[in-house]
Amino acid sequence: MPRQPLVLAPFRGLRYAAPDVERFIDGVFDIARLLAPPYDIPDADEARELQRSDPHNAARVTLPFELSRHSPDASARYQVAADLLRSWIAEGVLAQDGEPALYVYEQVTADGQTQRGLVGALGLPDEGFDPAVRPHEDVADPPVRDRFRLMEVARANLEPIFLMYRGANGAASAVTENTGDQQRPLVSTRTRDGSEHRLWAVTDPRIQQEIADDLAGRSALIADGHHRYAAYRQLREENADPGWNHGLALLVDSDTHPPRLGAIHRVLPGMDTAEALAAAGTVARVEPVTEADPALLEGAQAPALLLVSAEGDAHLLSGFDEDVLQRAMPDRSPDWRHLATAALHEVLLPLWHFPEEHVRMVHDDPAEAEAAARDEKGTAVIVPPLHVEQVYAVADRGELTPRKSTSFGPKPRTGLVMRVLD
């Protein structure tokens, strides 16, 4: 099967305009209070706080459920978001750039990690071709349909997915690293988490072609945004408009900027930890530990995870019965069967008769998961993060990790640049 080239095309970005001078800092438009995390990061309370922080905060269109909560029709929220987006454009709050560009996006986290990448319109795969973009994680249908409906009604890609590729000092990586040396950024801002964000436009057609030629022979891995990518593909399949042949993406060279991989921990509301441990002891080794230190998972026999009760008692689960893993996952590779999230979702949750749809996800912070377990009188499951090469290896084998197995960062901020079809 022939492989389709990796395409990141220039587009006319939709960006926040400068409605008042108070949002300028050192001559650069400051939009910190208008930006938001990716749609699947904030919980309901955080989403409401973002929406109340500014009447034009991006979360008002990416997370419109709060704005339409009084409507009996759940689908009304998508039209609410679309109407709001169009009103912002009509009022001049958002404006489309005058010429097609690839955008260089730089993030510097509060602890000093720098990440640079290119934002562009990602070419979606044709039938009969080996796609240049590979997922590494499974998806669930409800969030795919949610993002599909939002983008379809708004006729826009409201936030970029996050892709990694091995840049190997190619032209695309060189342009990404050198842009900004002689050019003022379009945006330079610092968000409340202490991260800095800068954006530049690459509009020279010659440089854009150099980037296209370099990327054509490469492939990319989805780091974050599997549900949105699946929604992109559905939009293309179900709509004749050629605008849906592309989707908004940030592409980062992982050779130059190795991403930060965090874990996505689980909370099982109402799950009695003592009962869970008793059942787990039939398929794995269970050891009490003095604290739920994620470092304990590094040296433990994989798959390994920590269970923490609402009272704070912690136990290490490791040394799973290999026959149990084999029976539960007969069509999977040994590496896949030894992922902590695989053991949790394919062995433990069925053993505990705990429904997948009731599992709550907590990105990165084990203390937050433990606090949620206390609040919900349940059990926290602390899992280890994967390494970048593990993720590439899973994708190269054509396998998908269990849903929400990785938390790549830093994630692109929503609101810096959007893509509209009209």
Side-chain angles (χ1 to χ4, degrees):
M1 182 182 296
R3 195 185 67 79
Q4 192 158 7
L6 178 62
V7 173
L8 195 72
F11 71 106
R12 292 176 57 208
L14 183 72
R15 299 188 298 106
Y16 282 106
D20 58 64
V21 294
E22 293 178 359
R23 288 182 180 161
F24 278 90
I25 295 179
D26 296 330
V28 177
F29 182 32
D30 182 67
I31 61 171
R33 69 183 188 228
L34 305 177
L35 304 181
Y39 82 99
D40 56 346
I41 300 299
D43 61 22
D45 290 338
E46 292 165 338
R48 284 190 286 271
E49 182 181 349
L50 283 165
Q51 291 168 349
R52 293 166 183 161
S53 67
D54 191 284
H56 299 119
N57 187 279
R60 294 175 72 85
V61 291
T62 61
L63 292 167
F65 55 83
E66 177 66 16
L67 302 179
S68 57
R69 67 188 186 280
H70 300 303
S71 171
D73 181 5
S75 64
R77 63 179 179 267
Y78 305 119
Q79 192 61 55
V80 167
D83 292 345
L84 191 59
L85 182 71
R86 297 299 159 183
S87 71
W88 290 356
I89 294 171
E91 295 163 7
V93 174
L94 294 171
Q96 204 167 13
D97 286 335
E99 54 186 329
L102 292 171
Y103 297 87
V104 173
Y105 174 29
E106 179 185 80
Q107 298 166 268
V108 182
T109 63
D111 59 2
Q113 179 184 1
T114 297
Q115 177 174 279
R116 273 192 172 210
L118 286 170
V119 178
L122 175 71
L124 301 177
D126 294 318
E127 291 296 326
F129 284 84
D130 180 20
V133 176
R134 297 188 180 278
H136 76 270
E137 191 171 272
D138 205 355
V139 297
D141 186 60
V144 173
R145 294 301 297 179
D146 168 63
R147 293 298 99 178
F148 170 89
R149 288 292 294 139
L150 177 61
M151 288 187 279
E152 183 180 52
V153 176
R155 291 185 58 76
N157 301 141
L158 300 172
E159 50 188 345
I161 64 172
F162 176 15
L163 306 178
M164 299 188 309
Y165 78 113
R166 297 179 175 105
N169 299 314
S173 186
V175 170
T176 303
E177 294 309 301
N178 296 328
T179 295
D181 291 345
Q182 305 295 326
Q183 182 182 353
R184 170 176 272 184
L186 301 171
V187 173
S188 180
T189 192
R190 184 191 298 269
T191 46
R192 287 190 302 173
D193 62 358
S195 298
E196 299 174 13
H197 306 265
R198 280 178 280 275
L199 192 75
W200 295 266
V202 177
T203 57
D204 186 331
R206 179 185 58 82
I207 297 176
Q208 292 173 353
Q209 188 59 52
E210 288 178 3
I211 293 171
D213 293 343
D214 176 50
L215 294 181
R218 302 185 187 278
S219 61
L221 178 77
I222 301 174
D224 188 67
H226 286 81
H227 292 97
R228 281 167 284 165
Y229 181 71
Y232 287 171
R233 298 193 65 173
Q234 284 192 15
L235 285 162
R236 178 176 183 175
E237 292 167 5
E238 299 184 25
N239 291 275
D241 191 323
W244 296 120
N245 291 342
H246 294 79
L248 189 62
L250 166 69
L251 181 65
V252 174
D253 173 12
S254 62
D255 292 336
T256 305
H257 297 288
R260 175 181 297 167
L261 261 72
I264 302 180
H265 308 295
R266 272 62 168 170
V267 178
L268 312 182
M271 181 76 215
D272 184 279
T273 308
E275 293 181 7
L277 290 168
T282 65
V283 297
R285 183 168 58 251
V286 177
E287 304 171 74
V289 293
T290 56
E291 60 178 331
D293 183 354
L296 294 170
L297 300 171
E298 289 291 325
Q301 182 182 349
L305 35 80
L306 290 162
L307 258 59
V308 187
S309 70
E311 295 74 30
D313 297 324
H315 289 76
L316 174 66
L317 274 60
S318 62
F320 278 74
D321 186 312
E322 292 293 335
D323 290 337
V324 170
L325 297 177
Q326 171 71 38
R327 286 195 300 271
M329 298 167 271
D331 300 324
R332 300 293 189 175
S333 68
D335 287 344
W336 200 96
R337 290 197 294 267
H338 286 82
L339 296 173
T341 49
L344 174 61
H345 286 268
E346 302 297 328
V347 176
L348 294 177
L349 291 184
L351 184 66
W352 297 333
H353 305 290
F354 195 92
E356 286 266 0
E357 60 270 20
H358 293 167
V359 177
R360 176 178 165 186
M361 308 290 180
V362 176
H363 288 251
D364 301 320
D365 188 357
E368 182 181 340
E370 293 176 45
R374 285 195 299 274
D375 293 342
E376 303 192 39
K377 297 180 173 55
T379 300
V381 183
I382 309 303
V383 300
L386 298 180
H387 300 290
V388 175
E389 289 309 316
Q390 280 181 289
V391 180
Y392 273 125
V394 167
D396 289 345
R397 285 196 303 267
E399 289 187 303
L400 300 174
T401 65
R403 190 171 69 89
K404 298 294 184 183
S405 287
T406 57
S407 177
F408 281 85
K411 301 179 190 299
R413 208 71 172 178
T414 297
L416 278 167
V417 60
M418 307 177 197
R419 175 178 174 265
V420 287
L421 271 64
D422 298 330

